[in-house]
Amino acid sequence: MPLDAPLNSLGLPKPPAQTRVVVAMSGGVDSSVVAAMLKEEGYDVVGVTLQLYDHGAALAKKGACCAGQDIHDARRVAEAMGFPHYVLDYENIFRDAVIEEFADAYLAGATPVPCIRCNERVKFKDLLATARDLDADCMATGHYIQRKMGAGGAELHAAADPARDQSYFLFSTTPEQLDFLRFPLGHLASKAETRALAAKYGLSVADKPDSQDICFVPSGNYAAVIEKLRPGAADPGEIVDMDGNVLGDHRGVIHYTIGQRRGLGIGGLDDPLYVVRLDPDTRRVLVGPKEALSTRVIPVREINWLGDGAFDGKAEHHVSVKVRSTRPPRPAIVRPLGPAEAEVELLDPETGVSPGQACVFYETGGSRILGGGWIWKGR
């Protein structure tokens, strides 16, 4: 192929018919539209769906991804659009890479984000390797995020629709993975456009509800899953105030998260109390006033850097950060402590910062994701 060959819509110097694209199909409307769109454009599409867990319990559960119904829906879309579709059994990989850590994190008093680990360790690692084994030129997903070419190569940018943006969950995408990945929906203005495309292609999933729950917690009961994986995890303990005074008893540290106010069972006080810290070693839940949740300095590790130059090549990075997926980016200074560890100073204090959550770095005033890392308790 000549070097000056025109680029196709996926940025590759080939005609679509000669470009093989593996589409990661969850069975939902987003990835189904991606597959149908690329097939209509003439690409050599191969659909792949991962069976990630024993989906028997979720067959009748709406709002959980990767369940049995979802595999069926993905297969129907592939049949209707006329491209091959494969289901890969990744249950053991998923359990080892995602579910076990999820349980251990809760037992350690953290609040994990398993969807990020799934993208990092399963979808963008093992599945991406499978796509290469299938001689694919790239892999496409239904995520709402944008891949743009910059002076230094492919960059990750927030979706055009802030309400659908999934950048918080994709910060750990590496530059090498980004070279191979494509996100055809990231530029759409709204989810309504996606559903309109699904209707245009006549897809059976056009009106299918969005997934809400973590796929292996189809009932929404996190504690029950953890107790099953780690018997004894819900041992009771004490609820104490900032001075160590016992205010009551609790039914297991795994039932609480940092910043929680409701469900503490210690009413009758003049001022509301919030969960400030979890101590799994002593099985204590520490509560205090809202101001006790205020945090300005956050230790972050396992950093994936997507910015220009080496992460620790500068003493400071002035960026904006998200410490929870539902919160807007806040101005911050990131001070590297090494190639993959840093201290993040928030210019304005944030409440409810919890170990186990991600701290994602954004270009201030722009849409580019500069990477991020995992919040931990520090040394």
Side-chain angles (χ1 to χ4, degrees), residues 36-344:
M37 179 192 306
L38 295 175
K39 178 63 178 178
E40 186 187 61
E41 289 181 26
Y43 287 97
D44 177 10
V45 173
V46 178
V48 176
T49 300
L50 303 182
Q51 180 173 315
L52 298 179
Y53 71 107
D54 181 359
H55 56 263
L59 284 174
K61 172 65 179 177
K62 293 181 179 180
C65 71
C66 315
Q69 182 62 45
D70 295 323
I71 293 172
H72 174 69
D73 289 341
R75 183 179 291 119
R76 287 177 64 193
V77 168
E79 290 175 352
M81 296 302 298
F83 59 81
H85 174 255
Y86 301 98
V87 178
L88 304 180
D89 183 355
Y90 272 40
E91 285 191 29
N92 290 337
I93 292 172
F94 184 69
R95 183 183 180 96
D96 293 342
V98 179
I99 298 179
E100 295 290 343
E101 182 187 75
F102 174 83
D104 289 339
Y106 261 108
L107 290 183
T111 306
V113 191
C115 296
I116 298 177
R117 289 302 197 192
C118 182
N119 289 326
E120 173 188 316
R121 297 176 174 177
V122 181
K123 293 177 181 175
F124 290 176
K125 183 182 177 184
D126 293 289
L127 178 55
L128 194 144
T130 297
R132 293 187 187 277
D133 290 341
L134 291 170
D135 293 325
D137 295 286
C138 63
M139 186 173 90
T141 80
H143 289 105
Y144 287 87
I145 196 166
Q146 298 187 81
R147 176 188 182 275
K148 298 181 179 182
M149 294 306 295
E155 299 175 352
L156 204 59
H157 287 256
D161 178 8
R164 306 298 305 179
D165 177 55
Q166 293 176 289
S167 58
Y168 182 86
F169 300 98
L170 296 169
F171 80 87
S172 60
T173 305
T174 67
E176 294 76 23
Q177 292 167 345
L178 195 53
D179 284 340
F180 194 69
L181 289 165
R182 299 294 187 275
F183 309 105
L185 303 184
H187 69 285
L188 298 183
S190 71
K191 181 62 177 270
E193 289 192 30
T194 306
R195 293 198 181 279
L197 286 169
K200 169 190 169 184
Y201 299 129
L203 303 183
S204 58
V205 295
D207 297 319
K208 185 174 181 178
D210 291 338
S211 60
Q212 300 294 335
D213 297 330
I214 294 173
C215 66
F216 60 90
V217 193
S219 66
N221 189 344
Y222 296 43
V225 172
I226 297 165
E227 285 185 74
K228 184 176 180 180
L229 291 168
R230 302 288 187 272
D235 289 345
E238 297 173 334
I239 299 176
V240 301
D241 64 16
M242 305 289 287
D243 297 318
N245 299 310
V246 177
L247 304 179
D249 298 316
H250 65 75
R251 54 197 179 92
V253 170
I254 61 172
H255 291 282
Y256 302 88
T257 58
I258 304 296
Q260 179 177 334
R261 176 185 171 187
R262 300 184 183 279
L264 299 180
I266 49 174
L269 301 173
D270 294 335
D271 298 310
L273 294 177
Y274 300 79
V275 176
V276 174
R277 190 169 70 247
L278 302 172
D279 189 342
D281 293 333
T282 62
R283 300 203 303 274
R284 281 188 157 190
V285 173
L286 179 71
V287 297
K290 189 172 184 178
E291 53 266 27
L293 287 169
S294 183
T295 303
R296 183 182 289 275
V297 177
I298 306 171
V300 178
R301 60 184 176 183
E302 292 184 64
I303 289 171
N304 178 58
W305 180 243
L306 293 172
D308 300 324
F311 173 65
D312 55 353
K314 294 173 61 176
E316 294 182 348
H317 298 279
H318 291 254
V319 300
S320 295
V321 303
K322 268 190 180 186
V323 294
R324 282 188 183 272
S325 63
T326 54
R327 297 185 182 177
R330 302 289 183 87
I333 300 172
V334 177
R335 298 185 176 92
L337 301 176
E341 191 171 330
E343 179 182 87
V344 176

